[in-house]
Amino acid sequence: MRSNIAKRPALQRIEDFFEVAIGLSKSQAENEAKRCLQCKDPFCVKGCPVEIDIPAFIKLIGAGKQKEALEKIKERNNLPAICGRVCPQENQCEAACVLNKKKIPINIGALERYAADYKSKKTFSKVSGCFSATIKVAVVGSGPAGLTCAADLAKLGYQVVLFESLHLPGGVLVYGIPEFRLPKKIVQDEVDYIKSLGVKIQTDTLIGNTYSLTDLFSESYKAIFIAVGAGLPQFLGIRGENLARVYSANEFLTRVNLMKAYLFPAYATPINIGKKVAVIGAGNVAFDCARVARRLGSEAIIVYRRTEDEMPARIDEIDNAREEGVTFQLLTQPVGIIADEEGFVKGIECIKMRLGSPDASGRKKPIPIEGSNFILDVDTVIVGIGQSPNPLLSRLTPELKTNPDGTVIVNKNFMTSIPGIFAGGDIITGADTVISAMAAGKKAAVAIDKYIKRGMKDG
Ligand code: FAD
Ligand code: SF4
């Protein structure tokens, strides 16, 4: 039988922001590890974007060697405690596991988390060369793409400085994903590991503003990796989106997660939400907002224009939200937000939808049902329908070529239109996943190393 991760009871967890999932116990982890068939040609590895040697680390867990299992994972993945918690394994390594044919894949995510939660400061041998490095590389943005690229470049012997505009490193991992899914302490520990490789992190530094990309080359950086993510909120473009108590998911989550508004007034940033919150959208971002709203004491309704089958959020998170009392208003599209006399939200005008044939995304296209308009009584609206690439750096650097949707154009080696400047993560793909951003960071580190070495040979 597959060992599944236990969770705290829903009624208890909506009273606080502590982590929902409880890791596997030693015996659960070892039993689960022993289910692995140790396939000779393991499909799970091919299903993992950073190609962790999954059978090898699972075997070590089965043998009671948690520390060694973690070292094995760290050969390929610099952020395992994060990936073990938020990776969509069900669509990746676990989907590829041969046991998935019988719908009982190895719980690879839970085992990765188990190994990564090994508690010791002395787990890792230092990587030779990383403290004597003289060739400088700059990384811009400290989300999973930037952290991964910086760590791999440091392991290759470069002197890496990572610039971050916010006061804390981590990108979406700290400002977006809530504490109850990914505790800040876990992110901090992974960042500390990356610092221990010799990476210097300079926060409160907006590249494009504090320094331009040209300034960085003048400071003798030999290459630059741009990993500024997709943090620009998208709105619906309907009337009333400027009313009081309409938030973008980004603003709402940043206030609560990064600025700790749930601890106001002990922390300076407040959050003003009412008793009944509508969250528009059904991806991970929207579900995070709804579950945060529940923890702030409000009713939370997911408003989505398709059905549950088409929801892009992880299934586990949809189940967690339902257990926590989040309700769903499906096949519903907002057409306008309605104000009270003081300019606060008092409802949403919606129209009912039906599903037609699949659209470009492969999901069934929602079609409005004429004359089906109705009012949803809510006093707060959070728009969580997606994010676009951060436009600031490309706007301030006209030579950096972008697509019409704002994503930065790169070649197969992750190099942008400016020689020596590379890019990866959400800034080249649009909003995606932690592990795909990390995979881009890894590949870009290899390409940057080749680029610098080739330059040294030519020069
Ligand atoms: P980001 O994580 O966005 O990091 C970019 C960093 O660059 C930020 O720290 C930003 O402040 C900084 N920056 C921007 N401009 C500049 C500049 N000019 N100078 C210096 N620094 C700059 N994915 C999953 O796999 N599983 C999940 O469960 C999941 N949940 C999510 C929940 C939420 C609320 C959100 C918003 C996203 C979620 N994602 C999830 C998606 C995932 O977090 C992103 O795909 C991933 O973080 C992208 O990584 P990145 O490194 O490209 O960018
Ligand atoms: Fe183990 Fe599944 Fe990977 Fe085979 S595919 S090695 S059973 S985790």
Side-chain angles (χ1 to χ4, degrees):
M1 235 198 20
R2 176 175 151 115
S3 300
N4 285 318
I5 237 164
K7 293 184 283 188
R8 293 195 296 129
L11 285 179
Q12 184 194 78
R13 63 193 198 230
I14 56 164
E15 296 293 321
D16 61 48
F17 278 75
F18 297 128
E19 195 170 10
V20 166
I22 304 163
L24 296 178
S25 67
K26 188 171 187 302
S27 63
Q28 278 178 317
E30 290 179 8
N31 287 338
E32 182 65 6
K34 284 173 189 152
R35 278 206 312 122
C36 175
L37 305 176
Q38 293 293 315
C39 306
K40 284 271 172 300
D41 181 16
F43 294 122
C44 52
V45 179
K46 292 176 195 140
C48 169
V50 296
E51 294 172 14
I52 296 173
D53 188 343
I54 294 168
F57 96 74
I58 291 183
K59 193 173 185 181
L60 288 163
I61 291 180
K65 297 182 176 173
Q66 191 182 0
K67 171 174 174 284
E68 290 79 0
L70 177 54
E71 283 175 336
K72 179 52 72 187
I73 297 172
K74 287 231 170 182
E75 287 171 8
R76 297 292 309 165
N77 183 339
N78 296 300
L79 309 170
I82 293 168
C83 293
R85 286 170 167 81
V86 301
C87 245
Q89 293 100 2
E90 64 279 11
N91 301 325
Q92 291 173 326
C93 52
E94 290 180 23
C97 171
V98 288
L99 296 174
N100 194 31
K101 284 190 194 134
K102 294 183 186 158
K103 304 276 176 231
I104 44 160
I106 301 293
N107 198 339
I108 302 171
L111 289 175
E112 182 176 16
R113 174 190 160 136
Y114 170 79
D117 286 352
Y118 178 77
K119 301 273 176 293
S120 168
K121 292 273 174 240
K122 289 185 187 158
T123 316
F124 312 101
S125 36
K126 281 186 182 142
V127 183
S128 64
C130 62
F131 297 109
S132 60
T134 52
I135 300 173
K136 287 166 67 177
V137 181
V139 174
V140 184
S142 68
L147 288 171
T148 302
C149 187
D152 279 11
L153 287 168
K155 287 177 180 173
L156 286 165
Y158 292 97
Q159 187 186 327
V160 186
V161 181
L162 206 168
F163 297 96
E164 169 54 52
S165 54
L166 296 173
H167 64 283
L168 275 181
V172 169
L173 308 173
V174 291
Y175 80 72
I177 303 181
E179 181 79 19
F180 54 82
R181 278 213 294 135
L182 180 61
K184 303 287 165 281
K185 170 79 173 70
I186 299 285
V187 181
Q188 187 56 52
D189 286 351
E190 306 269 53
V191 169
D192 286 347
Y193 162 69
I194 287 164
K195 283 189 191 159
S196 80
L197 298 172
V199 174
K200 189 170 166 257
I201 301 184
Q202 189 173 318
T203 52
D204 299 310
T205 309
L206 183 66
I207 300 299
N209 193 320
T210 321
Y211 307 111
S212 67
L213 292 173
T214 323
D215 291 338
L216 294 180
F217 279 130
S218 319
E219 291 286 318
S220 68
Y221 288 97
K222 294 288 180 227
I224 301 170
F225 178 61
I226 299 174
V228 292
L232 183 72
Q234 286 172 9
F235 284 93
L236 294 151
I238 58 174
R239 70 176 191 277
E241 274 186 297
N242 56 345
L243 293 175
R245 289 212 195 116
V246 178
Y247 291 93
S248 71
N250 262 34
E251 181 190 345
F252 180 71
L253 291 172
T254 303
R255 277 176 179 269
V256 179
N257 293 325
L258 189 68
M259 309 312 288
K260 296 207 174 346
Y262 63 95
L263 298 175
F264 180 81
Y267 284 76
T269 304
I271 185 85
N272 175 359
I273 66 166
K275 294 250 169 298
K276 205 167 173 189
V277 177
V279 181
I280 320 297
N284 286 322
V285 179
F287 274 92
D288 282 345
C289 292
R291 295 174 67 197
V292 165
R294 289 293 293 135
R295 283 159 175 79
L296 294 172
S298 306
E299 232 181 274
I301 309 163
I302 288 279
V303 178
Y304 183 47
R305 59 193 182 145
R306 294 183 166 95
T307 71
E308 200 174 326
D309 289 344
E310 289 82 27
M311 284 183 175
R314 294 190 64 192
I315 291 166
D316 279 358
E317 303 309 345
I318 297 172
D319 291 344
N320 284 337
R322 201 192 322 266
E323 287 165 17
E324 289 166 10
V326 173
T327 56
F328 302 166
Q329 175 74 46
L330 301 173
L331 291 168
T332 300
Q333 171 77 39
V335 291
I337 304 174
I338 304 161
D340 68 10
E341 316 71 55
E342 285 164 356
F344 282 82
V345 172
K346 78 162 189 191
I348 311 179
E349 183 186 345
C350 301
I351 188 162
K352 292 296 286 175
M353 310 293 276
R354 66 178 174 81
L355 291 184
S357 11
D359 63 12
S361 73
R363 290 175 300 171
K364 289 182 189 156
K365 191 176 153 95
I367 301 165
I369 302 173
E370 227 173 286
S372 64
N373 296 39
F374 69 101
I375 307 293
L376 186 64
D377 288 325
V378 292
D379 53 18
T380 306
V381 176
I382 302 170
V383 183
I385 55 167
Q387 294 87 235
S388 307
N390 281 329
L392 193 117
L393 191 53
S394 34
R395 257 189 223 151
L396 293 168
T397 320
E399 316 86 278
L400 197 62
K401 290 211 173 109
T402 53
N403 290 305
D405 65 359
T407 48
V408 168
I409 298 173
V410 292
N411 66 16
K412 65 177 181 354
N413 295 320
F414 293 87
M415 180 132 48
T416 65
S417 49
I418 309 176
I421 300 189
F422 296 74
D426 280 5
I427 189 63
I428 66 163
T429 54
D432 203 340
T433 60
V434 169
I435 196 67
S436 52
M438 289 174 62
K442 277 197 105 55
K443 289 178 191 152
V446 173
I448 290 169
D449 180 45
K450 278 195 190 141
Y451 167 81
I452 292 176
K453 284 184 176 146
R454 204 172 46 237
M456 284 161 72
K457 234 193 272 165
D458 296 346

